[in-house]
């Protein structure tokens, strides 16, 4: 994980100064002086979170509350930038606290910046809003002591919340309200700026960062690193549309499931008596509690994978799992769909000669379409789409659920399909046997890769893929055959291979990506290792490695890897190398799960044969290790006769004839998480 430091002002939209802050409204010379002063004080201990009591006037905007126009305006604080929240939590609120110390650290922060009384706020709940005045603050409980204002202002979903009702409710609460339920009323003096911002930080933390189970996690001095930073980054990545919508939905569903199961677990745990008992009811509760605990831990691990920007796509979700194939056309006929950029007599003659009049299908139906997406959407099982030379701009997603063939009529550079407009995906394939050939695919403004194979088999032949994010993704239970194609420009991996998939790469070029090929392997009985064949590919000029294997860390295995590196690696590490996993002692602690990639092993070889042999050996060793663990689990479950055929059914790796040149970190790397 990158070194933690407050992102500096400037740069992209995430790391730019807050809009509407005072200096932006000054004349240019004064603005420059103001900016230089702010930068010189960036690390000063005396620098307070936002604003200063010594400067008159507020630097915050104001917002008109929705609904009741009688309510006063409130401070506009809910659109803070990433770096503003990052620095507040890291430098002023949480620092290096433990999870169990979070509430105390927040209380100490509030004592320094919060005005204890003399301000008004709107108390908001799911059913009502009411204007209150604050007369005190209980910092340890993170609550404000309030009273109703005069005149009484309230808005609710029904008319039952009268003045008398609200007074009775406040008396039941002893006039104490959670700070995160208060929105500070706007004040031009600037006296309550820090109060409004501090409450916003508390509100955001408990809404978007804190999890009910955090306090029971391993109590280490890295709560900010383990939990706050990855969750904060995920929140802003979602806001800025850098996470696929399907992955966002999955994360929200997982979070809801985990919270629900954790509440059940707490209920079961609390129901078990503290004294020793051998009652049948208590034994049943113990078993139920253990099952719930295992489910919660499994969901928490999935949440961590999505929260970590480096491992976000390790968790493979099946966004298009429910996409239904049309099957055969009701008439039983098969159709050739033709997409002409411009149709001339000579082009029609050549099409008829080469593609439209096969000897065995004289009565084949032919349909013409204006664009490739319309042709694919009109296709049924067994249809063929022929795309004539031209540059096609498509605003949409090619979701291919049937066995359909897409073929460009000409060279790939002559038949270009370019994505237009924003969207998660470009090509999604779930058909049993999809073939795409002789096309150039150009991707823009997509969150996911240029081609996702979710189910079935997809053959990609003689194509050019110009990517922006991840290139091709081969999901669990899917199969890809990629032959004689060129892929480049991916900000992630050129090809991502998931557990349980089959991937055959023959005579391809994969270059100028962040990583060439990323293999994701899980040592878990729920996932089979992928089956991969790589023959005569040219993998070059990638920023990271040519091939990377990502897999969970096993402490004993990491010790073995560390020992092998100590005894077997005689070459000194190159400058800029990542630290080996042997240096990451916290990963060797039992039960410690980290969210960052740790470089475990790398192979720096210059000869082509050595490169291929190294990759094949390590991938084969990973397969054998999974076999050993799987057999051990079978034995623990009472299956004394392990399946000897299991080894033969595991990953058969054919890696030969590949060339690895000018990759930034080398030919092969293995990462543990």
């Amino acid at each position: 994980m990158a070194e933690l430091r407050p992102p500096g002002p400037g740069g992209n939209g995430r790391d730019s100064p807050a809009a509407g802050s005072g200096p932006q409204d000054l004349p240019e010379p004064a603005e420059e002086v103001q900016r230089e002063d702010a930068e010189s004080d960036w690390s000063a201990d005396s620098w307070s979170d936002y604003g200063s009591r010594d400067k008159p006037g507020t630097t915050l905007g104001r917002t008109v509350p929705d609904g009741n126009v009688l309510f006063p305006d409130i401070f506009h604080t809910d659109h803070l930038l990433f770096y503003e929240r990052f620095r507040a939590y890291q430098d002023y609120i949480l620092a290096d606290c433990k999870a169990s110390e979070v509430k105390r650290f927040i209380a100490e922060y509030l004592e320094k910046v919060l005005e204890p009384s003399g301000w008004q706020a709107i108390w908001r709940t799911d059913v009502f809003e009411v204007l209150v005045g604050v007369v005190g603050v209980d910092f340890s409980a993170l609550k404000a002591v309030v009273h109703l204002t005069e005149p009484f202002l309230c808005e609710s979903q029904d008319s039952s919340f009268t003045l008398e009702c609200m007074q009775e409710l406040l008396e039941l609460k002893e006039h104490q309200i959670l700070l995160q339920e208060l929105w500070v009323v706007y004040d031009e003096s600037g006296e309550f700026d820090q109060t409004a911002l501090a409450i916003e930080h508390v509100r955001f933390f408990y809404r978007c960062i804190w999890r009910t189970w955090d306090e029971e996690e391993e109590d280490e001095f890295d709560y900010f690193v383990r939990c706050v930073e990855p969750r904060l980054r995920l929140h802003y990545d979602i806001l800025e549309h850098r996470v696929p919508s399907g992955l966002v939905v999955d994360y929200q569903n997982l979070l809801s499931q985990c919270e629900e199961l954790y509440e059940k677990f707490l209920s079961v745990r609390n129901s078990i008596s503290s004294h020793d008992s051998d009652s049948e009811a208590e034994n049943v509760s113990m078993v139920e509690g253990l099952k719930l605990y295992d489910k919660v831990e499994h969901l928490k691990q999935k949440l961590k994978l999505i929260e970590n920007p480096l491992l976000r796509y390790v968790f493979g979700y099946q966004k298009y799992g429910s996409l239904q194939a049309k099957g055969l056309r009701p008439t039983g006929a098969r159709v050739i769909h033709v997409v002409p950029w411009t149709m001339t007599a000579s082009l029609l003659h050549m099409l008829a000669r080469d593609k439209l009049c096969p000897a065995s299908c004289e009565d084949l139906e032919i349909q013409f379409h204006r664009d490739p997406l319309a042709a694919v959407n009109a296709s049924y099982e067994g249809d063929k789409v022929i795309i004539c030379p031209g540059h096609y701009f498509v605003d949409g997603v090619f979701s291919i659920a049937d066995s359909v063939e897409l073929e460009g009529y000409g060279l790939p550079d002559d038949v270009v399909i370019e994505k237009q407009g924003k969207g998660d995906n470009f090509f999604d394939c779930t058909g049993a046997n999809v073939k795409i050939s002789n096309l150039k695919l150009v991707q823009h403004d997509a969150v996911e890769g240029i081609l996702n194979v979710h189910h079935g088999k997809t053959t990609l032949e003689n194509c050019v893929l110009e990517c922006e994010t991840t290139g091709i993704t081969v999901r669990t239970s899917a199969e890809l055959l990629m032959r004689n194609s060129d892929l480049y420009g991916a900000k992630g991996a050129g090809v991502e291979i998931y557990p349980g998939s089959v991937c055959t790469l023959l005579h391809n070029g994969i270059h100028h990506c962040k990583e060439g090929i990323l293999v994701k392997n899980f040592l878990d009985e729920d996932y089979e290792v992928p089956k991969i064949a790589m023959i005569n590919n040219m993998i070059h000029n990638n920023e990271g490695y040519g091939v990377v294997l990502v897999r969970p860390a096993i402490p004993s295995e990491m010790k073995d890897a560390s020992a092998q590196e100590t005894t077997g690696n005689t070459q000194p590490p190159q400058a800029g190398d990542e630290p080996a996993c042997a240096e990451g002692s916290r990963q060797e602690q039992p039960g410690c799960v980290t969210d960052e990639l740790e470089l475990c092993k790398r192979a720096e070889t210059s000869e082509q044969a050595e490169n291929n042999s190294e990759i094949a050996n390590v991938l084969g060793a990973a397969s054998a290790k999974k076999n050993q663990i799987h057999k051990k689990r079978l034995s623990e479950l009472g299956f004394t006769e392990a399946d000897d055929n299991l080894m033969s059914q595991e990953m058969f790796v054919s890696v030969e004839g590949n060339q690895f040149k000018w990759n930034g970190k080398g030919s092969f790397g293995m990462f543990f998480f």
Side-chain angles (χ1 to χ4, degrees), residues 367-540:
Q367 295 181 7
F368 290 87
H369 301 269
R370 297 291 300 175
D371 66 87
L373 184 57
V376 170
N377 291 338
S379 298
Y380 283 75
E381 181 77 14
D383 285 2
K384 185 175 184 179
V385 178
I386 298 176
I387 304 173
C388 298
H391 196 131
Y392 302 87
F393 295 91
V394 175
D395 188 359
V397 179
F398 288 84
S399 298
I400 307 175
D402 292 278
S403 296
V404 175
E405 182 177 349
L406 277 73
E407 180 182 353
Y409 185 59
L411 298 175
D413 287 336
D414 297 330
V415 189
V416 181
I417 302 177
E418 183 170 348
K419 181 173 177 58
Q420 195 172 42
K422 291 189 175 181
D424 283 348
N425 307 38
F426 196 8
F427 275 74
D428 284 290
C429 300
T430 62
N433 196 357
V434 178
K435 184 176 181 180
I436 303 172
S437 59
N438 302 330
L439 296 176
K440 181 176 182 179
L441 308 180
V442 181
Q443 176 202 42
H444 297 293
D445 293 324
V447 180
E448 292 191 57
I450 195 168
L451 173 64
N452 281 275
V453 186
H454 294 274
H455 300 292
K457 178 180 179 179
T458 295
T459 300
L460 194 70
E461 187 170 2
N462 196 31
C463 289
V464 176
L465 293 90
E466 183 179 315
C467 311
E468 263 196 2
T469 55
T470 299
I472 299 174
T473 303
V474 191
R475 301 283 183 183
T476 300
S477 302
E479 181 177 355
L480 171 71
L481 169 58
M482 181 177 174
R483 181 190 295 121
N484 299 325
S485 296
D486 191 50
L487 187 153
Y488 58 90
K491 293 179 182 177
V495 180
E496 287 189 358
I497 304 173
Y498 276 75
S501 64
V502 178
C503 185
T504 304
L505 305 175
L506 308 174
H507 306 278
N508 302 292
I510 301 173
H511 56 98
H512 293 92
C513 303
K514 184 167 181 65
E515 308 285 354
I517 299 171
L518 189 61
V519 183
K520 297 174 177 177
N521 186 25
F522 297 83
L523 295 180
D524 192 325
E525 65 271 15
D526 294 335
Y527 299 94
E528 294 294 331
V529 293
K531 298 181 180 179
I532 305 166
M534 294 170 51
I535 300 174
N536 296 333
N537 299 283
M538 181 66 176
I539 303 172
H540 64 95

Side-chain angles (χ1 to χ4, degrees), residues 74-124:
I74 59 177
F75 281 108
H76 185 67
T77 59
D78 58 350
H79 294 293
L80 299 180
L81 300 177
F82 169 83
Y83 88 91
E84 295 176 287
R85 297 194 194 274
F86 182 97
R87 186 177 188 193
Y89 292 129
Q90 184 189 47
D91 292 355
Y92 298 100
I93 304 177
L94 301 176
D96 59 350
C97 72
K98 302 177 182 180
S100 59
E101 298 173 330
V102 165
K103 191 173 182 179
R104 178 169 64 84
F105 272 58
I106 291 177
E108 292 175 356
Y109 164 75
L110 293 177
E111 284 190 77
K112 297 176 182 177
V113 300
L114 205 65
E115 291 293 339
S117 62
W119 46 280
Q120 292 185 335
I122 297 177
W123 176 22
R124 288 179 177 174

Side-chain angles (χ1 to χ4, degrees), residues 244-419:
S245 58
L247 195 56
V248 174
V249 171
D250 280 358
Y251 181 77
Q252 293 170 344
N253 291 338
L254 285 169
L255 187 58
S256 298
Q257 293 174 28
C258 196
E259 289 173 345
E260 182 180 350
L261 287 174
Y262 187 70
E263 288 298 324
K264 291 181 179 179
F265 167 73
L266 291 180
S267 177
V268 172
R269 188 177 67 179
N270 294 335
S271 68
I272 300 175
S273 59
S274 58
H275 57 81
D276 294 336
S277 174
D278 293 330
S279 66
E280 183 177 351
E282 185 161 304
N283 291 336
V284 171
S285 296
M286 288 285 290
V287 173
E288 182 182 357
L290 289 173
K291 289 181 179 179
L292 287 171
Y293 177 80
D294 288 341
K295 290 180 180 179
V296 169
E297 290 299 311
H298 184 64
L299 291 175
K300 283 162 60 176
Q301 187 63 25
K302 286 186 175 182
L303 289 172
K304 289 179 180 179
L305 290 175
I306 301 176
E307 288 166 356
N308 190 296
L310 297 176
L311 297 174
R312 189 163 292 159
Y313 300 98
V314 172
F315 173 66
Y317 66 100
Q318 300 296 330
K319 182 178 178 182
Y320 289 91
S322 60
L323 186 63
Q324 297 296 321
K326 296 178 183 177
L328 292 173
R329 189 173 271 99
T331 60
R334 294 187 178 183
V335 175
I336 293 181
H337 305 265
V338 179
V339 183
W341 179 253
T342 56
M343 180 59 73
T344 62
S346 60
L347 177 60
L348 183 60
H349 175 73
M350 288 187 292
L351 279 172
R353 181 193 63 195
D354 299 336
K355 300 294 181 182
L356 304 182
C357 298
S360 59
C361 302
E362 295 181 357
D363 296 328
L364 200 63
E365 182 180 343
I366 300 172
Q367 295 181 7
F368 290 87
H369 301 269
R370 297 291 300 175
D371 66 87
L373 184 57
V376 170
N377 291 338
S379 298
Y380 283 75
E381 181 77 14
D383 285 2
K384 185 175 184 179
V385 178
I386 298 176
I387 304 173
C388 298
H391 196 131
Y392 302 87
F393 295 91
V394 175
D395 188 359
V397 179
F398 288 84
S399 298
I400 307 175
D402 292 278
S403 296
V404 175
E405 182 177 349
L406 277 73
E407 180 182 353
Y409 185 59
L411 298 175
D413 287 336
D414 297 330
V415 189
V416 181
I417 302 177
E418 183 170 348
K419 181 173 177 58

Side-chain angles (χ1 to χ4, degrees), residues 5-20:
R5 58 181 184 273
N12 56 27
R14 169 183 284 189
D15 296 330
S16 58

